[in-house]
Amino acid sequence: MAFCKNCGQQINDDAAFCPNCGTTVDNGQQAQQQAPVQPQVMSNNGEPLPNEKGLAWLSYVGLLFLIPLFARKDSEYCKFHVKEGATLFAVDLAYLIVKSILLLIIDLPTRTYYYGFYIHSGIYHVFNVLFSLGYIFLVVVSIMGIVRAATGKKLELPLIGKIPFIKTLMDKIYASINK
């Protein structure tokens, strides 16, 4: 039998609170019960859990990679896909910026003003079509990532998966989140 530190009342060994004053009982057994339980990250056969597959595919839909980043920060499966999705998002953003700047440089000297509207030159339209082919590539890579994440595969994205600096940044973000 133990005694309450606050009021001195006799307490059972398995009690969590003092029956007299309600003070929390501090004993070794209670400390063991309060130890955090580690979530199950993989199923018994090494496959990712279904709820991980359900979140991991969001990594390839723009800024939605933030959802599995915070919701499943302990899952190696989700970490892999978040890193791939963040890299895809960064490449997509860089592509948009470069495309906009180049089209502006191409268009400024050649566009004309006609009855209140700007008329773009033919070279502008040619480059715009070529840049649109690049967007088709990015959409196809995004769909590949979604399919791989939803089916439980951990494969790098073609070309984009080889870019290391975004993955290094994501490792630092994960380290700061897990502190």
Side-chain angles (χ1 to χ4, degrees):
M1 287 285 212
F3 295 94
C4 177
K5 293 178 183 178
N6 188 33
C7 67
Q9 178 74 25
Q10 192 172 9
I11 305 171
N12 291 338
D13 289 335
D14 58 344
F17 301 98
C18 173
N20 188 35
C21 67
T23 304
T24 306
V25 176
D26 186 24
N27 57 20
Q29 194 175 41
Q30 183 183 4
Q32 290 173 354
Q33 292 173 354
Q34 291 179 352
V37 177
Q38 294 295 327
Q40 183 180 5
V41 179
M42 297 290 258
S43 64
N44 291 339
N45 60 0
E47 290 290 317
L49 297 172
N51 57 357
E52 290 176 339
K53 291 179 190 178
L55 280 176
W57 71 269
L58 290 173
S59 300
Y60 300 99
V61 185
L63 276 176
L64 293 183
F65 74 86
L66 295 172
I67 294 172
L69 171 71
F70 292 110
R72 283 298 193 171
K73 60 185 174 188
D74 296 329
S75 166
E76 290 299 321
Y77 182 75
C78 284
K79 278 183 188 179
F80 173 81
H81 286 291
V82 165
K83 290 177 187 178
E84 293 289 312
T87 304
L88 178 64
F89 179 73
V91 168
D92 193 22
L93 190 63
Y95 189 77
L96 173 70
I97 292 169
V98 169
K99 173 193 169 203
S100 299
I101 292 171
L102 287 178
L103 285 178
L104 185 65
I105 291 170
I106 291 168
D107 188 43
L108 276 179
T110 60
R111 74 176 164 187
T112 57
Y113 190 72
Y114 185 71
Y115 290 108
F117 297 99
Y118 283 111
I119 306 298
H120 300 288
S121 67
I123 189 89
Y124 173 85
H125 293 294
V126 169
F127 275 97
N128 202 13
V129 168
L130 291 175
F131 279 119
S132 296
L133 294 175
Y135 271 123
I136 292 172
F137 169 75
L138 291 172
V139 168
V140 168
V141 169
S142 179
I143 291 170
M144 289 173 64
I146 290 170
V147 169
R148 289 174 179 177
T151 56
K153 297 177 183 168
K154 284 175 64 173
L155 299 171
E156 280 188 347
L157 296 175
L159 299 175
I160 294 171
K162 305 280 188 245
I163 302 172
F165 68 91
I166 300 294
K167 292 179 183 180
T168 306
L169 176 66
M170 293 306 295
D171 285 334
K172 292 178 182 177
I173 291 171
Y174 270 116
S176 68
I177 290 173
N178 290 330
K179 284 185 179 178

